[in-house]
Amino acid sequence: MTAAIPSIALVGNPNAGKSSLFNALTGARQKIANYPGVTVERKAGHASFADGRPLSLIDLPGTYSLTPASLDEAVTRDVVLGRQEGEKRPDALIVVLDAANLDNHLCFALELLALGLPTVVALNMLDLAERDGLTLDPERLSRELGVPVIPTVAVRKRGLAELLEAIDGAIQSHQPREAVVAPQNDTALHQRARALAKAAIVTETPVRRWTQRLDRIVLHPVAGLLILLALMFVMFQAVYAWAGPPADALEAGVGVLQGWVVDTLPENFVRDLIVEGLLAGVGAVVVFLPQILILFLFILLLEASGYMTRAAFLMDGLMAKVGLSGRGFIPLLSSFACAVPGIMATRAIPDEKDRLTTILIAPLMTCSARLPVYALIIAAFIPDRGVGGTGIGLQGLVLFGLYLSGIVGALVVAFVLRRTIAKGNAAGFMMEMPRYQMPQWRDIALGLWQRAWIFLRRAGTIIAMTTVVLWLLLTFPQAPEGQSQVEYSAGGRIASALEVVVKPIGFNHDIALALIPAMAAREVAVSAMATANAIDADGDEDAMAQSLGQRLQGKWSLATALAFLAWFVFAPQCISTIAITRRETNGWKWPMFMVGYLFLLAYAAAGITYWTAVAFGLG
Amino acid sequence: MTALLDKATLGVAVRIARIDWTAMTDDEGRRLREFGLMEGCEVTPRHRGSIFSRDPLALTIGRMQVIIRAKQAAVIEVEDVVSEEGAA
């Protein structure tokens, strides 16, 4: 036995239920990072054997064979072969099979068994296989493969103890395992897999699966698209309708905290920094946590239920018209939450030009960081009423329109890019369509927790820091009596210089001031305005009592507010996105191009919006 | 009698007679085989595109559903299944 903690890799086909098994084995004890040098997510976690000895688990990207078609599949190959830089070769493998899809999944299993590492097979999702009318014989499969085969139902934690016991036994036994020889060509491999599956299946009753029945509606050429559109519409309405009460509670909480600091600390520099800088700035952003979580909840549910691939299927025809594929729909939909995981998810797109184009348009999807900006401006300038007696809110409709502008913009840009700088063959689209599944609350809750944590950490680091720096820039030098502190300060003077450039598109000093720190992250625009307003209102009790939205209402015209919204549909103001694009495209060329074209579009869009609105008398 | 998979009737099982592997890249061909699409196997075309286009094509193969583009389906020759399964 090795003295070190044994490391065990979970490996298997896509849709084998690997991640659920990983979650069930590790619980919340997991760490998500990147493999060095590549942006493929490395999910690692800890668990312990029955007697308390620890083991470490890693969840490898799902793939069909050891010959990779994309970047994440290459990581799986390199890790199991011990060729991944900075990653120790695993001591043992848990090969995860979908019990209902043995003839396909056994092909990869045979390849993995041929590696000769200590291996245990998890016959996963056995309950769903039984629902589909399959009765399996795990012992028979175990005899045929020469390794333990453990039936598991990850979502009910069934078979986990047995799985760990078997993997312990496999590592402890010193004799090298007699490797099953994998047939060398695809046809022979498949024949062998099919024969094995046939041997393991005791009975098979053909049942009409409800996945197929549901697909007849969900994938219907017309009804399917209407369902997709309705789902997205409900998603964006829910972001508004459900987030109200918790957001109000958070806002009240920040207010209480500010009051407490004012009462507790003596009036000095530190107190102002905390109240006007840190709490006003970070608080203005944290308030949007409920909306971001609702958005992620929808995306996680769509993914876990198996619907996301259907959406990709429905969208492929449209995406093919602009030179992309349905594959790109999944990273683009993730980009609605955040472009960073979205751009990372493009690594599953095999075609290079297709992938590059998808990366370049990902920032046009309205990410959750824009929500604070949109929410603030919409709440302040768009009346809260229904549209023509329907139950649809005008505010939600404007938000929907902003999302739609981003999507249409992205399609147009993709169309142009695929015919110019990212010219290439028509991209392919091959994907497995998983069965529908009931999402497991544990997996969803874990996913939400991880997103919430990332958001709060960002609020606590990048956003807190830029806000404090901004507060310092706005506080010094001190303005003489009778002059506006914000305009007199160092920050205010920088903003005045920028104001010259953005004045033609209707932007005022407030906006110019917010745009600079918002380069770090879009939501900083909100915290920056909150900080500037807090400084401006210093001592003025009436002004302090007003919310940021009310203050802007008094200072901006509707045309300016609309132009500001249009700007944020396009502006590439996010350092993380630029950094991830540099890493994903191996250089500065593409991120520079992306930033350039997006700023141009933002300027044009804000300008056109402003001039149009002014022409209609809204200036 | 053979036909091409991209023109096959939805919901009717067919057997793959021949695939023109030279009409696609190595990667595409390998992924098709990884899905289990090879000569001799049975597939059932299920769904075809949306109002945007008749692409892509969703197929059932064994207990799996996969999506491919019509361009690939157009180089896959299929024939009728003559067993009792074809009637189902």
Side-chain angles (χ1 to χ4, degrees), chain A residues 64-65 67 73 100-101 104 132 186 190 204 209 215 219 221-222 225 313-314 316 318 321 324-325 427 429-433, chain B residues 28 30-36 38 46-53 55-58 60 63-69 72:
Chain A
Y64 292 91
S65 71
T67 317
E73 295 184 5
N101 197 2
N104 194 272
D132 278 355
D186 292 345
H190 267 268
E204 181 173 19
R209 291 183 297 167
D215 270 344
L219 295 182
V222 181
L225 274 177
F313 176 87
L314 289 167
D316 182 63
L318 179 63
K321 286 200 178 8
L324 299 174
S325 77
F429 179 47
M430 290 189 207
M431 237 183 137
E432 186 183 338
M433 201 144 52
Chain B
E28 283 175 324
R30 190 161 27 75
R31 191 39 51 96
L32 279 188
R33 291 192 291 277
E34 283 167 0
F35 283 163
M38 43 184 79
R46 292 280 174 196
H47 307 276
R48 193 174 276 143
S50 63
I51 51 168
F52 298 122
S53 127
D55 230 359
L57 181 68
T60 309
R63 288 181 167 264
M64 223 168 124
Q65 283 220 76
V66 299
I67 306 170
I68 63 172
R69 279 263 173 93
Q72 284 129 14

Side-chain angles (χ1 to χ4, degrees), chain A residues 4-6 46-49 51-56:
Chain A
I5 298 171
H46 288 280
S48 38
F49 292 116
D51 58 8
R53 277 174 300 124
L55 67 142
S56 76

